[in-house]
Amino acid sequence: MNETNELAHDVALSMEPAAHFHLELSNRGVEFQAISPSPLLPTQFLEVAKPGDWGKVASVAKDQAWRWVAGWAEDEGNLFSVSVCLELQGTYLVLRTRTDGGNPFLPSHAPYFVSANRPERHMRDMFGIKFTGHPDPRRWTRHQAWDSETYPLRHAFPKEGQSPGQTPPDKDYPFFKVEGHGVFEIPVGPVHAGIIEPGHFRFHAVGETLLNLEERLCYVHKGIEKIAEGRTAESLARLAGRVSGDTTVGHAFAACLAMERAAGLEVPLRASFIRGLLVELERVINHLWDMAAICNDVAFAFAYYQFGRLRELWLRDNQALFGHRLLMDRIVPGGVNVDVTLESSERITKSIKFLRRELSELVTIHDQNSSLEDRLVAAGHLRVEDAQTLGALGFVGRSSGQSFDVRKDAPYSPYDQLEVTVPVENQGDVASRFWVRYKELWVALKLIEQLLEKMPDGEIATPWVSPPPDAEGLGLVEGWRGEILSYVRFGEDGKISRYYPRDPSIVNWPALEKLVLGNIVPDFPVCNKSVNGSYSGNDL
Amino acid sequence: MFGIYRKILTTGVLTEKFARKKRATQQVALESRETGIDELGKKLQATIDKRFAGSLHIRQVDAGSCNGCELEIHALNNVYYDIERFGVHFVASPRHADVLLVTGPVSRNMEAALRRTYEATANPKWVIAVGDCGACGGEFGVSYASCGAVANVIPVDAVVPGCPPTPLDLMRGILDLFSC
Ligand code: SF4
């Protein structure tokens, strides 16, 4: 490093990430305005004046090691706005620019950030915004339900669609081709041989070894963003709880947080604690289930049934204590609609004790099982560098050295009052994703205890007050799969005019394409399970 | 190895038909009394024995669900419900199926795949639409991206509402289909 660089480096270190970003944008001649106070508090916000500078902005972000969190667009009549959320060292920053409504185009961020690739294709399909320099010109969310000249998220596009007849099969998608001696292609899906969500996988293999995997998703695209428009706050919370059924609490939490921030509404502390409790319960249930399923995919039926048994007990607790096995619709705008009584707290404490004992016993068995080790260790390896490039989240990231956890790095209520430990490993294989889940499970149990112990008295909800038109809010929470982002804008009469949820699956699905390479075809199911992306959460 | 055997033995049989057996934990025994699996299961088994020579094959198809329904369908196979003991078996191919268990509002992107799965299923065949979404479109309704109810795309013989329906609701739904 030469002297000036060193100096710049020192300055950078001593500066707050957003200020450093501003400085570099100015150095590169990008015209921008940092809006203060930000309309998306606590997230910082800046507008980039010229859409032509959009690529330069990404290049600065890349140089400074920001993580590309999410991107979404809005139809503003004569213009389209495109917003991108970045994160560095726990600081979130939203950038926005506008492009002409007649011929909308912007420089792509995908050459700088892999995680921008599919979201930009989504925006292209849904809004008709072209991203110049994007490495992949193919459609993504659009199959055959609407034609290439119409864009569902433009206001002019009717909610009920334009082609009422039968939807033809999507048979001409231009998959990547791998050719050569001995290479063969295996198409799988969208309907899979099990009780799972639909999606298409195109494998290229030589013998048993996988050369390439291409995911073709969006089969369960249900138009969530479009049908959110015009809903009341309460109705949006219900919809958010169905973005991905297994993350119903996480998405409802993020959406409500976004709406409350837009409305400037302070949620009672007790409500926040109960929300935290519900999220952690969801984490326990899902991690148990994933651990069961990973074992099942390597034919270790014993553990599948054991973990599945423990999970069922927690589902029944949920039903008994909160009235719903998966905890759907318990989080509402302004708070929650279920309280925690002394009895429920006692029952949960008992269940925790029981689960800990069972887990310790099971894990010894697990540890002593060499055939299990044989299948899980080194399978589906995701390199630390790849995880970083992809911005991998949750247990996928944390098994490959990415420690980011919203609860710890950008804490929100109730986590700003709790101690969150984040287990991180570097092995990056299926075994590691199993063990990180296991460790996170223990952390969740500890958090539940803390939440119950410190649970403040008071109301569980505050009455909902609609914000004025145009108010916007951003909610970021750590769901069981990782960081969830939820963007909300209000229109007239307190009705929603824009909702964009970013499930961690959107970021993690590309990791699967990487980590299966060089593995044998029969190991694909367990690799897939170890990542366990949500199709519904991805496809929206 | 012995650890596995020991754990299997001490866990005991938790499947809820065998309520007489001593349970591994008090907590579990308490739970099982709350459910009505025993009675429901007997009926289900009698129906399946009579009409399907003891074995009913189900192919589950997610045609656009939020995956909540899938979680509860999965739970049918856990040790408490263990639906296989009544002769209900989930199969990997529609060619082997008597019944299609379809979830979700049917997304437009899954419409063709659902029709094809239906066509691939041998006659006689039945379709159960699962969840509020499968029943009427649920939270998603009909839109440019969603056909709504399963019945809007393929013929439906029975509906199991709920968001998502519980494992017991699902068992009842399967029973209802064949007791009419
Ligand atoms: S019925 Fe409920 S749980 Fe089932 S797919 Fe629809 S929203 Fe999800």
Side-chain angles (χ1 to χ4, degrees):
Chain A
M1 222 185 265
N2 65 33
E3 218 167 283
T4 11
N5 263 348
E6 217 167 287
L7 191 69
H9 189 70
D10 285 348
V11 170
L13 279 184
S14 64
M15 260 174 124
E16 200 260 328
H20 186 211
F21 189 68
H22 294 169
L23 182 69
E24 191 56 29
L25 286 185
S26 312
N27 287 348
R28 300 237 202 139
V30 176
E31 273 178 49
F32 68 95
Q33 196 187 359
I35 314 264
S36 167
S38 156
L40 292 172
L41 281 173
T43 303
Q44 306 195 41
F45 183 79
L46 72 85
E47 287 195 357
V48 177
K50 296 189 197 139
D53 282 342
W54 196 238
K56 230 188 255 176
V57 171
S59 127
V60 172
K62 176 81 183 172
D63 290 349
Q64 297 187 349
W66 289 79
R67 181 168 60 87
W68 203 94
V69 176
W72 63 93
E74 285 179 86
D75 181 353
E76 295 187 346
N78 304 331
L79 298 167
F80 289 104
S81 78
V82 172
S83 307
V84 159
C85 181
L86 304 172
E87 181 273 336
L88 179 64
Q89 294 160 11
T91 297
Y92 283 105
L93 171 64
V94 168
L95 322 167
R96 183 172 293 162
T97 193
R98 290 186 169 75
T99 166
D100 176 36
N103 178 25
F105 70 93
L106 274 182
S108 168
H109 282 191
Y112 307 96
F113 296 101
V114 185
S115 46
N117 189 310
R118 289 177 182 174
E120 285 187 350
R121 288 169 73 188
H122 177 70
M123 283 188 254
R124 192 177 51 206
D125 288 352
M126 303 305 283
F127 286 93
I129 301 169
K130 288 179 222 57
F131 288 91
T132 50
H134 192 291
D136 192 342
R138 298 170 304 164
R139 61 201 160 81
W140 175 243
T141 312
R142 182 168 64 81
H143 288 203
Q144 300 297 330
W146 66 92
D147 62 60
S148 60
E149 300 303 315
T150 54
Y151 306 103
L153 286 177
R154 289 192 178 180
H155 290 321
F157 188 96
K159 211 172 268 180
E160 57 286 357
Q162 291 167 325
S163 47
Q166 283 192 8
T167 319
D170 188 29
K171 56 182 191 317
D172 298 322
Y173 185 75
F175 285 99
F176 286 119
K177 289 272 172 244
V178 180
E179 278 160 1
H181 185 67
V183 178
F184 61 98
E185 197 178 75
I186 316 173
V188 178
V191 178
H192 296 302
I195 306 173
I196 28 172
E197 297 181 80
H200 183 93
F201 298 116
R202 187 64 59 109
F203 300 99
H204 289 96
V206 172
E208 285 286 35
T209 308
L210 283 172
L211 279 186
N212 187 45
L213 161 64
E214 189 179 355
E215 297 157 359
R216 174 81 183 115
L217 302 177
C218 300
Y219 280 92
V220 292
H221 172 69
K222 296 183 275 291
I224 286 177
E225 290 165 273
K226 186 81 176 177
I227 61 173
E229 292 171 11
R231 288 190 177 229
T232 61
E234 203 196 346
S235 160
L236 184 75
R238 284 182 58 86
L239 182 64
R242 285 155 183 81
V243 166
S244 179
D246 51 18
T247 319
T248 177
V249 178
H251 274 286
F253 192 170
C256 286
L257 196 59
M259 290 192 282
E260 287 146 7
R261 283 174 177 169
L265 209 66
E266 192 74 41
V267 172
L269 197 55
R270 186 174 179 84
S272 284
F273 268 66
I274 297 176
R275 285 176 174 188
L277 174 68
L278 297 175
V279 170
E280 297 309 322
L281 290 174
E282 183 168 81
R283 199 181 316 275
V284 169
I285 289 162
N286 281 298
H287 280 5
L288 282 172
W289 181 228
D290 276 1
M291 284 156 59
I294 289 174
C295 293
N296 193 44
D297 277 346
V298 291
F300 191 39
F302 165 80
Y304 172 69
Y305 286 109
Q306 290 285 347
F307 288 126
R309 160 180 81 92
L310 297 170
R311 170 176 181 267
E312 175 68 21
L313 293 176
W314 282 68
L315 290 176
R316 290 179 180 196
D317 273 0
N318 285 350
Q319 176 70 43
L321 304 177
F322 304 110
H324 195 284
R325 284 164 57 92
L326 304 179
L327 304 169
M328 269 180 177
D329 306 325
R330 308 296 108 166
I331 294 183
V332 293
V336 291
N337 58 16
V338 281
D339 207 348
V340 177
T341 61
L342 195 62
E343 292 90 74
S344 39
S345 159
E346 274 168 9
R347 178 158 170 175
I348 295 173
T349 313
K350 237 169 86 188
S351 296
I352 291 178
K353 221 169 124 196
F354 179 72
L355 182 59
R356 281 203 179 118
R357 210 174 54 224
E358 292 285 314
L359 281 176
S360 313
E361 208 180 326
L362 287 175
V363 99
T364 321
I365 295 175
H366 214 97
D367 258 347
Q368 290 165 350
N369 196 308
S370 53
S371 66
L372 197 61
E373 198 179 295
D374 187 45
R375 290 294 305 276
L376 301 185
V377 172
H381 182 245
L382 181 68
R383 297 187 318 156
V384 171
E385 307 84 79
D386 288 338
Q388 191 181 5
T389 310
L390 294 165
L393 296 167
F395 40 79
V396 179
R398 289 196 273 275
S399 313
S400 298
Q402 310 307 307
S403 68
F404 184 79
D405 185 316
V406 195
R407 293 175 299 172
K408 190 179 167 85
D409 297 311
Y412 47 99
S413 182
Y415 296 100
D416 47 0
Q417 317 206 5
L418 305 172
E419 220 180 287
V420 186
T421 37
V422 180
V424 186
E425 296 191 354
N426 285 320
Q427 292 93 302
D429 53 5
V430 174
S432 179
R433 288 189 283 281
F434 179 93
W435 288 113
V436 166
R437 280 176 171 96
Y438 178 77
K439 291 176 189 167
E440 285 188 7
L441 189 54
W442 282 84
V443 174
L445 295 180
K446 225 172 165 178
L447 283 170
I448 294 174
E449 282 175 336
Q450 282 188 56
L451 284 159
L452 291 173
E453 194 184 307
K454 294 186 181 166
M455 180 84 59
D457 290 332
E459 298 293 323
I460 57 164
T462 194
W464 173 250
V465 188
S466 295
D470 260 358
E472 51 184 330
L474 194 68
L476 287 141
V477 305
E478 186 76 15
W480 67 275
R481 275 197 183 91
E483 172 200 59
I484 298 172
L485 172 144
S486 195
Y487 172 78
V488 172
R489 184 191 287 280
F490 283 88
E492 301 291 331
D493 308 324
K495 299 280 171 61
I496 304 298
S497 70
R498 181 82 176 99
Y499 169 55
Y500 176 70
R502 204 283 275 115
D503 191 84
S505 308
I506 294 178
V507 181
N508 282 352
W509 269 114
L512 180 64
E513 287 185 341
K514 273 250 176 272
L515 63 83
V516 295
L517 301 183
N519 283 257
I520 55 172
V521 179
D523 269 354
F524 174 73
V526 73
C527 290
N528 188 13
K529 198 69 223 177
S530 74
V531 175
N532 191 14
S534 164
Y535 298 70
S536 186
N538 178 82
D539 302 353
L540 298 182
Chain B
M1 204 63 210
F2 288 119
I4 296 185
Y5 290 139
R6 190 176 339 106
K7 186 68 193 161
I8 290 172
L9 286 173
T10 55
T11 306
V13 178
L14 300 174
T15 308
E16 293 189 321
K17 185 180 176 183
F18 308 105
R20 285 165 276 123
K21 287 258 168 79
K22 203 170 160 274
R23 275 157 210 289
T25 65
Q26 245 186 341
Q27 188 182 5
V28 178
L30 188 86
E31 293 295 344
S32 67
R33 259 181 270 130
E34 291 170 13
T35 66
I37 297 182
D38 199 15
E39 199 193 331
L40 200 61
K42 272 190 198 134
K43 275 197 217 156
L44 187 60
Q45 186 154 28
T47 315
I48 290 172
D49 284 352
K50 202 167 107 212
R51 306 218 16 204
F52 292 93
S55 161
L56 179 75
H57 284 191
I58 296 186
R59 178 69 177 89
Q60 198 269 337
V61 185
D62 175 343
S65 103
C66 78
N67 79 29
C69 282
E70 275 61 35
L71 293 175
E72 291 297 54
I73 294 172
H74 260 300
L76 285 172
N77 281 325
N78 77 29
V79 293
Y80 292 99
Y81 303 100
D82 187 22
I83 197 169
E84 283 226 13
R85 76 193 135 133
F86 306 125
V88 178
H89 182 57
F90 285 89
V91 292
S93 165
R95 299 255 188 242
H96 305 155
D98 302 304
V99 169
L100 294 181
L101 198 64
V102 186
T103 61
V106 182
S107 71
R108 298 283 300 259
N109 290 355
M110 273 302 285
E111 193 185 330
L114 178 61
R115 284 185 208 283
R116 287 176 169 185
T117 307
Y118 181 75
E119 280 155 23
T121 312
N123 277 317
K125 58 188 164 195
W126 292 266
V127 174
I128 305 179
V130 171
D132 288 351
C133 292
C136 67
E139 203 60 36
F140 304 100
V142 177
S143 73
Y144 78 93
S146 159
C147 306
V150 176
N152 293 345
V153 179
I154 55 172
V156 167
D157 301 284
V159 165
V160 189
C163 185
T166 63
L168 281 184
D169 294 337
L170 287 162
M171 280 171 72
R172 250 178 242 125
I174 298 169
L175 188 64
D176 282 351
L177 174 62
F178 298 110
S179 46
C180 49

